[in-house]
Amino acid sequence: MGFVARVTSESSAEFVPIPQRIATFDNDGTLWSEQPIYFQFEFVLDRVKALAAQHPEWKTQEPFEAVLEGDLKGVVASGEQGLTDLLMATHAGMSTDEFSSSVADWLSTAQHPRFKEPYTDLVFKPMLELLSYLRQNQFEIYIVSGGTVDFMRAFAEKVYGIPPEHVIGTTFALQFQRGPDGKPVLMREPKIDFLDDGPAKPVAIQRVIGRRPILAFGNSDGDQQMLEWTAAGDGVRFMGLVHHTDAEREWAYDRESRIGHLDKALDEATERKWVIVDMKQDWKVIYP
Amino acid sequence: MGFVARVTSESSAEFVPIPQRIATFDNDGTLWSEQPIYFQFEFVLDRVKALAAQHPEWKTQEPFEAVLEGDLKGVVASGEQGLTDLLMATHAGMSTDEFSSSVADWLSTAQHPRFKEPYTDLVFKPMLELLSYLRQNQFEIYIVSGGTVDFMRAFAEKVYGIPPEHVIGTTFALQFQRGPDGKPVLMREPKIDFLDDGPAKPVAIQRVIGRRPILAFGNSDGDQQMLEWTAAGDGVRFMGLVHHTDAEREWAYDRESRIGHLDKALDEATERKWVIVDMKQDWKVIYP
């Protein structure tokens, strides 16, 4: 990768000191697949089923009823409020430790509906190789994703080698409480306090990292501002998009898709000559 | 320091793997002084004076009038709303880069009213030595402070060796905008979106780091929950408080002070046998 050679060679005019070698990656659709629905939403559906015994009222209450009856159209018809209700029922009202356990349990047993494999096997091998190559060249790699932080932390270290403190994403409000034994716990409140998508991605990068990336990779319009923010820094920069073009081995979607909607960012990438990975053409192997 | 030997010796039953050696430090009153007023508030006062020429209306508008006349009592009398107005006038309405420059400029010229030295010289030498010792033992050191992130980042790396991505604090809302030249900027909005004090400190630690510290150091009741959160983890832990007891070389204050108020945390530290540094007794040298 010419870019890496240019920024890591000390004799290069474009040399970048190690602490400034910040790379940011979107997760859904960039490091792993995101179809037919975001994997985190598969978790939501499975958790509703798992929790249903404790909530007999869900049998006659939308959108829970639709989930329990496997009626995905009904779920979608419940609209934004319905999706929010499902998210809160599965992501809030428990401690951070309890939530992490529920994600880890799910990941260890759940299977993708099409591939019948664990979700964590549906990561992109060429991207794993890129992460590894960047790491060898002393890049600090961060995830910057619309997924929620604690969901991604349950697998990011094991699957990508990205530690918890390098996972940036959507966050739920947390509340510090002392339990009956006096021990403090952090409870997840039914409220998203930061939605890490689109223009919020550069905001999150500034807030958490405080340095501008020199490399950023995404796959949708939700990554456009992160790529622009990366491109606007001084010196040489690398901006990349994964374009999902392989319906046979993965999925093919872009401008018309609700999930991983890629339209304006594709135009901008083309115009500005950012790297566009054509999955079908460029990747010999997709999954490890 | 016995604690460090216990957690870093591989033959110890209390060995802690390197990635889990997380240490969190409050800043004001823990790593540097905070009297007679928080240094960041000195910056606010100086900035109001520097910006006054562009704001002729401030001459007759409280709390700005009081600042320009050097009437600190008048500033205090303006109450929380007055302090908020001053904060917003000096911390918002500019880009992140412009704000960072204004802090750097101030730090390079401003002097502390009592010691007539740059504020960054009023850091605690024994704490710098502790940071250095922890770093030698592969601890990852974070600041977790009520000060605002971008203010602290302007000096934390140079003065403490703590890089921008390890500075956690109060944050202003940021807005992604495209400038007239199409280049993106992050504008600081007149709104605090996270106040990193008291029970919010463990929340910030979870949100940004995602691991529980094994060592935490503070100096006020605003650090109590961070210390409790640290103490509540498994295995051996280190909790420390700096107690300001030296009116001659620094300041002496605790239960009655508005700044660095130390009351409940002092009781808890005493009861639970956390380390309490008695500045007068324990520190041969205070400033480098």
Side-chain angles (χ1 to χ4, degrees):
Chain A
M1 200 175 171
F3 168 78
V4 171
R6 286 163 72 189
V7 298
T8 59
S9 160
E10 293 201 33
S11 61
S12 160
E14 291 155 334
F15 176 74
V16 175
I18 290 173
Q20 293 168 31
R21 294 182 197 163
I22 305 291
T24 55
F25 288 81
D26 171 57
N27 183 45
D28 296 311
T30 301
L31 295 179
W32 74 357
S33 293
E34 59 182 350
Q35 298 284 2
I37 56 174
Y38 293 122
F39 296 176
Q40 186 162 4
F41 199 69
E42 297 275 11
F43 166 75
V44 168
L45 300 179
D46 286 347
R47 278 302 284 168
V48 167
K49 290 170 199 160
L51 293 168
Q54 299 163 43
H55 293 275
E57 74 279 11
W58 285 355
K59 276 185 202 157
T60 54
Q61 184 187 333
E62 293 296 359
F64 302 99
E65 186 181 347
V67 174
L68 297 176
E69 289 174 357
D71 170 19
L72 257 184
K73 278 187 190 167
V75 174
V76 173
S78 72
E80 202 175 319
Q81 186 57 51
L83 300 183
T84 302
D85 290 349
L86 294 172
L87 201 59
M88 296 308 157
T90 53
H91 283 66
M94 73 285 280
S95 73
T96 48
D97 286 347
E98 286 162 350
F99 178 72
S100 298
S101 297
S102 75
V103 180
D105 288 350
W106 178 77
L107 287 171
S108 69
T109 56
Q111 291 202 329
H112 187 276
R114 173 175 163 194
F115 292 104
K116 311 295 179 204
E117 300 211 50
Y119 290 97
T120 49
D121 284 2
L122 302 180
V123 298
F124 303 136
K125 186 160 186 282
M127 296 305 278
L128 294 181
E129 290 166 359
L130 173 58
L131 296 182
S132 170
Y133 180 64
L134 292 174
R135 218 171 271 127
Q136 284 163 28
N137 284 281
Q138 279 91 39
F139 276 72
E140 292 290 335
I141 299 165
Y142 289 82
I143 290 176
V144 180
S145 168
T148 72
V149 166
D150 289 334
F151 182 82
M152 295 186 286
R153 281 177 178 156
F155 62 90
E157 186 152 34
K158 194 173 156 199
V159 175
Y160 304 134
I162 297 178
E165 62 270 26
H166 281 204
V167 177
I168 299 171
T170 293
T171 53
F172 276 71
L174 300 176
Q175 191 175 55
F176 179 88
Q177 293 181 358
R178 292 187 184 82
D181 57 355
K183 268 205 168 189
V185 289
L186 292 173
M187 293 298 291
R188 297 172 62 89
E189 301 280 293
K191 187 186 160 215
I192 286 175
D193 64 2
F194 189 82
L195 181 62
D196 188 31
D197 195 32
K201 289 197 174 191
V203 169
I205 288 169
Q206 175 62 24
R207 185 199 296 235
V208 177
I209 310 176
R211 305 188 200 255
R212 196 190 296 252
I214 62 168
L215 179 154
F217 232 113
N219 78 300
S220 80
D221 283 2
D223 302 311
Q224 187 177 12
Q225 291 86 351
M226 174 169 77
L227 297 172
E228 290 177 352
W229 180 244
T230 302
D234 296 329
V236 62
R237 306 271 153 171
F238 182 99
M239 283 63 63
L241 278 178
V242 176
H243 190 189
H244 294 262
T245 51
D246 194 331
E248 198 175 316
R249 294 184 300 164
E250 206 244 6
W251 283 270
Y253 58 97
D254 46 36
R255 297 183 198 272
E256 304 302 321
S257 180
R258 286 178 69 176
I259 286 174
H261 181 73
L262 175 64
D263 182 29
K264 288 184 189 170
L266 188 57
D267 292 339
E268 186 171 5
T270 305
E271 188 189 318
R272 300 182 66 175
K273 298 192 169 50
W274 295 344
V275 170
I276 302 172
V277 171
D278 180 327
M279 190 178 273
K280 188 172 180 174
Q281 300 286 334
D282 298 341
W283 286 0
K284 283 189 193 140
V285 178
I286 292 183
Y287 299 126
Chain B
M1 200 172 172
F3 168 79
V4 172
R6 287 163 71 188
V7 298
T8 58
S9 159
E10 293 203 32
S11 61
S12 161
E14 292 155 333
F15 177 74
V16 175
I18 291 173
Q20 293 167 31
R21 293 181 198 164
I22 305 291
T24 55
F25 288 80
D26 171 58
N27 183 44
D28 296 311
T30 300
L31 295 179
W32 73 356
S33 292
E34 60 182 349
Q35 297 286 1
I37 55 174
Y38 294 121
F39 295 175
Q40 186 162 3
F41 200 67
E42 298 274 12
F43 165 75
V44 168
L45 300 179
D46 286 347
R47 278 302 283 170
V48 167
K49 290 170 198 160
L51 293 168
Q54 299 164 43
H55 293 275
E57 74 280 9
W58 284 356
K59 277 186 202 158
T60 55
Q61 184 187 332
E62 293 296 3
F64 301 99
E65 185 182 349
V67 174
L68 298 176
E69 290 173 356
D71 169 20
L72 256 184
K73 277 187 191 167
V75 174
V76 173
S78 72
E80 201 174 321
Q81 186 56 51
L83 301 182
T84 302
D85 290 349
L86 294 173
L87 201 59
M88 295 310 156
T90 53
H91 282 66
M94 75 284 281
S95 74
T96 47
D97 287 347
E98 286 162 348
F99 179 73
S100 297
S101 297
S102 76
V103 179
D105 288 349
W106 178 77
L107 286 170
S108 68
T109 56
Q111 291 202 330
H112 188 276
R114 173 175 164 194
F115 291 106
K116 311 295 178 204
E117 301 210 50
Y119 289 97
T120 48
D121 284 2
L122 301 181
V123 297
F124 302 136
K125 186 160 185 282
M127 296 305 278
L128 294 182
E129 290 166 358
L130 173 58
L131 297 183
S132 170
Y133 180 64
L134 292 174
R135 219 171 270 128
Q136 284 164 28
N137 284 281
Q138 280 90 41
F139 276 71
E140 291 290 336
I141 299 166
Y142 289 82
I143 291 176
V144 181
S145 169
T148 71
V149 166
D150 290 334
F151 181 83
M152 296 186 286
R153 282 177 177 158
F155 62 91
E157 186 152 35
K158 193 172 156 200
V159 175
Y160 304 135
I162 297 177
E165 63 271 26
H166 280 203
V167 177
I168 299 171
T170 293
T171 52
F172 276 71
L174 300 176
Q175 191 173 53
F176 179 88
Q177 293 181 359
R178 291 186 184 85
D181 57 355
K183 266 205 168 188
V185 289
L186 292 172
M187 293 298 291
R188 298 172 61 90
E189 301 281 292
K191 187 185 160 215
I192 287 176
D193 64 2
F194 190 81
L195 181 62
D196 188 30
D197 195 33
K201 288 196 174 192
V203 169
I205 289 169
Q206 174 63 24
R207 185 199 295 233
V208 178
I209 312 177
R211 307 188 198 256
R212 195 190 297 252
I214 64 168
L215 179 153
F217 232 112
N219 78 300
S220 79
D221 283 2
D223 303 311
Q224 188 177 11
Q225 290 87 352
M226 174 170 77
L227 297 172
E228 289 177 352
W229 180 244
T230 302
D234 296 330
V236 61
R237 304 270 151 173
F238 182 98
M239 283 64 63
L241 278 177
V242 175
H243 190 189
H244 294 262
T245 51
D246 195 330
E248 200 175 315
R249 294 184 300 164
E250 205 244 3
W251 283 270
Y253 58 96
D254 47 34
R255 297 183 197 272
E256 305 302 321
S257 179
R258 285 178 70 176
I259 287 173
H261 181 71
L262 175 63
D263 182 29
K264 288 183 188 168
L266 189 58
D267 291 340
E268 185 171 5
T270 305
E271 189 189 316
R272 301 181 67 175
K273 298 190 168 53
W274 295 345
V275 170
I276 303 172
V277 171
D278 181 326
M279 191 179 273
K280 188 173 180 174
Q281 300 286 334
D282 299 342
W283 285 1
K284 282 188 192 142
V285 178
I286 292 184
Y287 300 126

